[in-house]
């Protein structure tokens, strides 16, 4: 089977006569850029080419298992199932401006195991393939075509740590930005990481136009390590050093994701430490409300008044600040919330089967 995104393999397999090349280009444009279904796009090419495509290409390595549409705002949660039976999530966000964003996953589970994150509590971490990463975008665009929309911005902010899956992440970014394939501007892609210094610098070197977000959540060393176990191997000093090495500017700021937790990250002293940590670093700070999850009853989100006060302190220090509000609260839109328990059980079954066959 061919990967649909391997243009060189396509050319070698289908030939390069002008009629075939035109037919393939038309097919890819309809399917990948305009959101037609695979079958609809196939109907636009010659029968012999269509027959070969159907025999050689698996269009969707993920199965769309469930769709949950918020009754409160423009969020839709898409639950996909892999060949192993494990579940991943993507979220479509429809802003009031008419712009549509898609939050996609890069892994099943996550080794970062953040205390506040349902994905990190699954106890598994498996990389998604390049095709599985991309298929979230392809299937979302097929759904959105019925609304006369297309995904405008893509954020790697779903399940998993993208920089723990760098090879497939980089290939996916290359495909997303290829004019022959999905044709997204690199400036409309954002990769969120908990902070993997070497991989952050490599990604910045390879794709200097791609936006980066850092899930910081606390600028207090012990406080951050309590929330993010992985932070024990990456002290704040090294993280700051990494940010200073990135190709940042007033036009390309690092996005700082900061979770507002009552009595843990929202005190005046926390704001002072955050301001000091970001000194001389072009940054835009997102203040994130906390979505409660199973197994983290000890965490409580900050009040709206506290978030606004905290934000005003940061603004006074010269930082652009966005105070986020939960979208899709009625559909548990935070990644991992709907499938945390199911994936745990499936992973147990897979481990038991693997052990039994050894």
């Amino acid at each position: 089977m061919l990967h649909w995104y391997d243009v060189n393999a396509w050319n070698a397999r289908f030939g390069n006569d002008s009629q075939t090349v035109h037919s393939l280009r038309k097919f890819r444009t309809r399917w990948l850029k305009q959101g037609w279904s695979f079958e609809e796009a196939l109907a636009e090419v010659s029968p012999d080419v269509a027959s070969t495509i159907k025999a050689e290409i698996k269009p969707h390595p993920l199965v769309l298992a469930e769709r949950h549409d918020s009754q409160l705002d423009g969020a839709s949660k898409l639950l996909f199932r892999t060949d192993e039976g494990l579940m991943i999530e993507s979220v479509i966000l429809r802003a009031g401006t008419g712009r549509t964003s898609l939050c996609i996953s890069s892994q099943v589970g996550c080794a970062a195991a953040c205390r506040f994150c349902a994905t990190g509590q699954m106890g598994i971490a498996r990389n998604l393939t390049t095709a599985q990463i991309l298929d979230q975008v392809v299937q979302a665009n097929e759904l959105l075509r019925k609304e006369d929309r297309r995904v405008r911005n893509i954020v790697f902010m779903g399940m998993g740590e993208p920089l723990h899956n760098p090879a497939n992440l980089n290939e996916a970014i290359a495909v997303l930005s290829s004019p022959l394939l999905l044709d997204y501007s690199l400036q409309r892609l954002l990769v969120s990481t908990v902070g993997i210094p070497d991989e952050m610098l490599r990604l910045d070197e390879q794709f200097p136009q791609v936006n980066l977000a850092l899930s910081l959540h606390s600028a207090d060393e012990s406080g951050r390590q309590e929330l993010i176990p992985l932070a024990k191997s990456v002290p704040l000093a090294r993280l700051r050093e990494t940010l200073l090495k990135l190709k940042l500017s007033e036009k390309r700021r690092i996005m700082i994701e900061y979770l507002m937790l009552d009595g843990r990250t929202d005190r005046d002293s926390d704001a002072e430490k955050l301001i000091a940590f970001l000194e001389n670093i072009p940054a835009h700070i997102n203040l994130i409300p906390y979505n409660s999850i199973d197994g983290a009853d000890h965490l409580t989100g900050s009040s709206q008044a506290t978030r606004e006060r905290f934000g005003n302190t940061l603004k006074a220090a010269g930082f652009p600040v966005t105070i986020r509000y939960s979208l899709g609260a009625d559909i548990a839109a935070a990644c991992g919330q709907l499938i945390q328990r199911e994936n745990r059980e499936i992973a147990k079954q897979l481990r038991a089967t693997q052990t039994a066959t050894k």
Side-chain angles (χ1 to χ4, degrees):
M1 298 291 286
L2 292 176
H3 291 307
W4 58 258
Y5 51 84
D6 190 339
V7 176
N8 291 331
W10 275 52
N11 293 339
R13 176 65 184 84
F14 293 101
N16 58 4
D17 66 273
S18 59
Q19 185 174 355
T20 299
V21 169
H22 175 74
S23 192
L24 290 174
R25 189 172 297 163
K26 186 176 183 181
F27 166 74
R28 287 196 293 259
T29 296
R30 294 283 192 269
W31 183 37
L32 301 175
K33 296 182 182 180
Q34 297 177 2
W36 291 33
S37 72
F38 185 75
E39 292 73 20
E40 288 175 322
L42 273 184
E44 294 291 305
V45 303
S46 61
D48 56 330
V49 173
S51 177
T52 305
I53 290 175
K54 288 176 70 174
E56 295 284 355
I57 292 174
K58 181 179 180 180
H60 297 304
L62 298 173
V63 175
L64 179 59
E66 298 178 30
R67 172 178 173 172
H68 300 264
D69 295 310
S70 173
Q71 301 304 307
L72 302 176
D73 47 56
S76 294
K77 171 164 278 195
L78 309 179
L79 275 60
F80 295 102
R81 195 176 294 278
T82 69
D83 289 341
E84 287 185 303
L86 294 165
M87 302 281 279
I88 65 166
E89 299 176 354
S90 306
V91 180
I92 298 172
L93 301 170
R94 301 171 183 82
T97 59
R99 296 175 179 176
T100 305
S101 298
L102 180 67
C103 181
I104 63 175
S105 297
S106 55
Q107 295 182 306
V108 181
C110 182
C114 298
R115 305 300 187 206
F116 50 82
C117 177
T119 300
Q121 304 308 308
M122 289 180 187
I124 53 174
R126 300 191 184 191
N127 287 340
L128 294 181
T129 65
T130 301
Q132 289 170 331
I133 293 172
L134 294 167
D135 196 34
Q136 297 168 73
V137 181
V138 173
Q139 293 205 47
N141 274 328
E142 288 183 16
L143 293 174
L144 288 167
R145 179 172 174 248
K146 299 170 186 175
E147 306 172 26
D148 197 26
R149 289 175 178 261
R150 185 177 191 252
V151 171
R152 182 181 187 273
N153 300 305
I154 299 168
V155 295
F156 289 81
M157 226 178 242
M159 294 173 62
E161 165 54 63
L163 298 187
H164 280 164
N165 189 10
N168 293 338
L169 169 70
N170 290 348
E171 188 172 32
I173 290 172
V175 173
L176 288 169
S177 59
S178 169
L180 295 175
L181 298 166
L182 285 134
D183 199 21
Y184 281 97
S185 165
L186 288 171
Q187 295 173 333
R188 292 188 178 176
L189 308 182
L190 182 144
V191 175
S192 177
T193 176
V194 76
I196 317 294
D198 291 343
E199 293 298 341
M200 290 174 71
L201 294 173
R202 276 192 279 267
L203 180 67
D204 189 60
E205 185 66 31
Q206 186 168 353
F207 298 108
Q209 291 178 294
V210 169
N211 297 297
L212 283 170
L214 172 64
S215 292
L216 185 66
H217 303 312
S218 175
D220 176 80
E221 197 79 76
S222 61
R224 187 167 195 264
Q225 290 177 10
E226 183 180 349
L227 294 172
I228 306 172
L230 195 67
K232 294 175 183 177
S233 62
V234 185
L236 285 169
R238 187 181 178 201
L239 208 48
R240 174 175 162 78
E241 185 180 295
T242 301
L243 296 184
L244 288 168
K245 292 179 180 178
L246 296 175
K247 300 179 183 66
L248 302 176
S249 66
E250 293 301 307
K251 292 184 177 180
R252 187 198 181 222
R253 294 171 176 267
I254 183 78
M255 191 76 71
I256 299 296
E257 303 294 323
Y258 192 92
L259 187 65
M260 296 296 293
L261 294 171
D262 184 39
R264 290 175 178 267
T265 65
D266 63 356
R267 297 158 296 190
D268 290 343
S269 59
D270 295 312
E272 293 170 3
K273 289 176 182 178
L274 179 58
I275 292 167
F277 176 79
L278 293 174
E279 184 180 3
N280 297 324
I281 295 173
H284 185 121
I285 304 169
N286 277 337
L287 300 182
I288 312 294
Y290 172 61
N291 295 296
S292 60
I293 64 165
D294 290 345
D297 297 336
H298 61 295
L299 299 178
T300 304
S302 306
S303 67
Q304 182 175 332
T306 298
R307 296 201 303 269
E308 290 177 353
R309 175 183 53 77
F310 196 92
N312 288 335
T313 300
L314 300 176
K315 290 176 184 177
F319 292 100
V321 176
T322 300
I323 301 175
R324 296 292 184 192
Y325 298 91
S326 291
L327 292 176
D330 57 330
I331 56 171
C335 278
Q337 283 183 294
L338 287 182
I339 59 177
Q340 179 182 1
R341 295 177 184 174
E342 181 173 351
N343 269 355
R344 280 179 181 169
E345 292 304 313
I346 294 172
K348 285 181 184 177
Q349 294 169 16
L350 289 172
R351 285 194 290 269
T353 300
Q354 290 166 358
T355 300
T357 56
K358 285 183 180 178

